[in-house]
Structures are given as C-alpha cells and as structure tokens.
Amino acid sequence: MAFITISGYPSSGKSKRAEQIKAALEQRLQDPSYTGPKLKVSILSDDTLNLDRAVYDSSRSEKPARGALFTAMQRQMGQDTILIIDSLNYIKGFRYQMYCAGRELRLRMCTVYVVTPPDICKKWNAEREDGKSYAPETFDNLIMRFEEPSSMVRWDSPLFTVLWTDEDIPGDDIWKSVTEGIVKPPNVGTQAVPKAPTDALHALENTTTLIVSSIMSEQSASQGLGGPTTLNLTNTLNPRIILPSRNLTLSELQRSKRQFVSIHKKAMTLGTTEKGTVDFSEESIVDKFVKYLEENLRP
C-alpha cells in the first residue's frame, strides 16, 4: 500500500514522530467513516531489528546493518501495510534504493524530515539513559555526513518537514499522501529482468538452421517461383512464409540467420522487459525468424 521514510539527525526525535504518525494513521483507519481497504501500520527501526547504535561507529559494521534494514523492509512491504521506516536514512543513495523497491511493488511513498538543530540533538543524545545513545565521535561524524532530503528529487517527494518545536505531525497531509498519492509504475530501472533459459542458444541455432534447410528444399522443388510456401519442419511446426520470386542462395540465408541469432543473443545475456517475458520456445523462434526473413530478404 505505502511506506514512509523518516529521516533526520541522530537523536533528533525521529522515533517519537514515527509513533505519532502510526497513531494518527491508525486513528483514521479505525474511523467509522473510513471505507477503504483493511490496512495495518507497522514501524521498522534499528530497535525492532536489535541493531545497536555502535553499528554506526564504522562503515564496516554500518553497511551490513543497512543491508539488514533493507531486507527486512522488503519482507514487510505489501499492499495491506503502511510501513514506517524509522532510522537515520541519512544517505540519499540509500533513500533512492528504498524508493526503487517501493516503486517496483507499486507503493505510495513519502518522506518525513525531522528537523532539529545539531546542538539540541547533541544534548538529547548525551541525556539518553536507555542505552541507545551514539558515541560522541560517531555522533559528530553522522552529523557531518548527513545528506538532507530535498523535495526537488523524486525519491524524497512528497517531503514533509517537522520541526523540533512542533507539537504534532502533519497527519492530514501524510494520510492523503499514503492513501491518495500517485502510484508510480515500475520502469526498466526497477523491474526484475527475466533471463532466457540455459538452452536458448542451442534452440535458436538448431531451429534457424532447420528453417534455412527447409527453405532451400522447398525452393528447389518449386523451381524458385517464390510466393506463399509451407515449411514442413516437424509434425507440429509447419509455418508459412512468403518467399521472393527469385532463387535465394544458401550464403544469403546463412547471413540472415547469423544476423538474427546475433540480435537475440543480447536478449539472452541481458534479458528484456518487453511485455514482462522472454520467450525462446521453438514455436516463438520459428515465428520470429520467419517474420525476420520476410521483412529483410530482398524481393
């Protein structure tokens, strides 16, 4: 359904805002006037994953921690869930990665930027008694590396800013964003790319060779008259092809075959998102190669 990215300095009050958002959304979902789909609101955070704040002390420990957060996020994303990601989310590349994952699942998205001055964050961090404070050096490093969300980029939009002095969050705007916001369709950059089967090249070579041989045989029998011709490849494969009214040479057909195979090798290696499928069945190869020959053989 949707997910909300919380971003802000360490110890800026992000978890408090995440709880406020969760409460505001659940209140609207339970309202008798709400007639939409049944949804649940969940918060995913470093705490729910039991990630100690010490993981941010070095890039060596932070990278797998971000990976664990991203994996858990993918597991919990769904059409029946509004997921709130309560973490630092201070790297714009990571926010973009989450955006791509949400777009692939056709989810609505928004970002909530919790704005608190660094000196207040530092004070709150030092006063924490729950064992969830950051080491002073780590805290300063995270402040320095923080990449501020921007409403100008698509992966942070729509962006809602909540100041440390605000008593509440913009609940109405967030609700509208996650229930009525634009659902962006997956694009080539976010779609999973299907690959051809392992025997695709073998099938491609054998089938095109069989067609070339069949054309040469039919041409010899018809004295090169051309026109609509049925190729008897197998008991079940008997495609019709319109041949030019001239004698086709074996070298000419072989050249067309090599060009056709070369074109389709790229699809085998890279895959394709055309109609969401890659079809290298014998029937599909026959159909494609026959059409290719009809379009490319000189009259």
Side-chain angles (χ1 to χ4, degrees):
M1 174 63 179
F3 82 92
I4 302 167
T5 302
I6 308 288
S7 183
Y9 286 154
S11 297
S12 59
K14 296 183 299 300
S15 295
K16 173 187 174 182
R17 301 305 186 180
E19 290 292 345
Q20 286 179 316
I21 293 170
K22 183 175 186 289
L25 294 177
E26 288 180 336
Q27 181 180 3
R28 286 167 172 78
L29 289 170
Q30 294 165 8
D31 191 291
S33 63
Y34 173 71
T35 57
K38 186 176 180 180
L39 302 171
K40 62 181 179 181
V41 183
S42 299
I43 295 177
L44 177 64
S45 67
D46 293 349
D47 294 338
T48 59
L49 295 175
N50 294 317
L51 296 175
D52 192 273
R53 298 300 188 271
V55 299
Y56 295 99
D57 291 348
S58 69
S59 58
R60 178 175 295 181
S61 58
E62 181 182 343
K63 187 174 181 180
R66 271 202 312 273
L69 179 68
F70 185 74
T71 301
M73 179 196 75
Q74 288 181 301
R75 284 199 304 265
Q76 295 188 36
M77 281 179 168
Q79 292 300 319
D80 63 341
T81 303
I82 300 175
L83 184 62
I84 302 170
I85 313 297
D86 172 25
S87 187
L88 288 174
N89 300 321
Y90 69 100
I91 300 173
K92 62 182 178 182
F94 185 57
R95 295 198 298 270
Y96 176 70
Q97 187 180 5
M98 292 193 291
Y99 163 83
C100 289
R103 185 166 176 175
E104 185 175 343
L105 293 175
R106 300 177 183 271
L107 303 181
R108 294 183 174 90
M109 296 168 272
C110 70
T111 302
V112 176
Y113 180 22
V114 181
V115 178
T116 307
D119 56 336
I120 295 180
C121 293
K122 191 169 188 176
K123 178 176 179 293
W124 287 351
N125 185 65
E127 293 174 350
R128 297 191 76 151
E129 298 179 353
D130 55 4
K132 298 175 183 178
S133 61
Y134 300 84
E137 184 178 342
T138 300
F139 178 89
D140 292 339
N141 186 38
L142 290 171
I143 292 286
M144 181 181 64
R145 293 167 54 199
F146 185 82
E147 295 176 326
E148 184 175 330
S150 170
S151 60
M152 300 298 291
V153 297
R154 61 188 183 280
W155 57 88
D156 288 334
S157 300
L159 178 65
F160 304 106
T161 300
V162 183
L163 301 178
W164 76 102
T165 53
D166 293 342
E167 289 295 326
D168 204 355
I169 44 90
D172 292 338
D173 294 333
I174 294 174
W175 170 256
K176 187 174 181 180
S177 177
V178 298
T179 57
E180 301 176 19
I182 297 172
V183 178
K184 297 181 180 179
N187 57 22
V188 174
T190 63
Q191 283 182 291
V193 180
K195 295 293 192 296
T198 55
D199 63 342
L201 181 58
H202 178 74
L204 190 64
E205 288 283 358
N206 283 2
T207 305
T208 52
T209 297
L210 183 61
I211 291 173
V212 168
S213 299
S214 182
I215 289 175
M216 292 301 295
S217 298
E218 292 295 335
Q219 182 176 251
S220 177
S222 66
Q223 303 295 318
L225 294 177
T229 304
T230 300
L231 304 179
N232 297 307
L233 304 180
T234 66
N235 291 334
T236 57
L237 286 175
N238 307 108
R240 286 177 61 81
I241 184 172
I242 300 176
L243 297 175
S245 300
R246 63 180 179 84
N247 279 317
L248 297 171
T249 64
L250 178 60
S251 61
E252 184 180 6
L253 288 171
Q254 292 283 22
R255 183 168 59 252
S256 294
K257 170 183 171 292
R258 286 193 299 271
Q259 291 170 346
F260 178 82
V261 170
S262 178
I263 291 169
H264 286 77
K265 274 185 179 179
K266 184 177 181 181
M268 291 179 196
T269 305
L270 302 179
T272 179
T273 56
E274 180 184 2
K275 297 182 181 178
T277 61
V278 175
D279 188 358
F280 281 96
S281 65
E282 197 175 43
E283 294 82 359
S284 177
I285 294 171
V286 168
D287 182 59
K288 290 177 181 178
F289 189 42
V290 165
K291 288 180 180 177
Y292 180 84
L293 290 175
E294 289 179 339
E295 292 173 359
N296 291 275
L297 289 175
R298 180 173 54 84

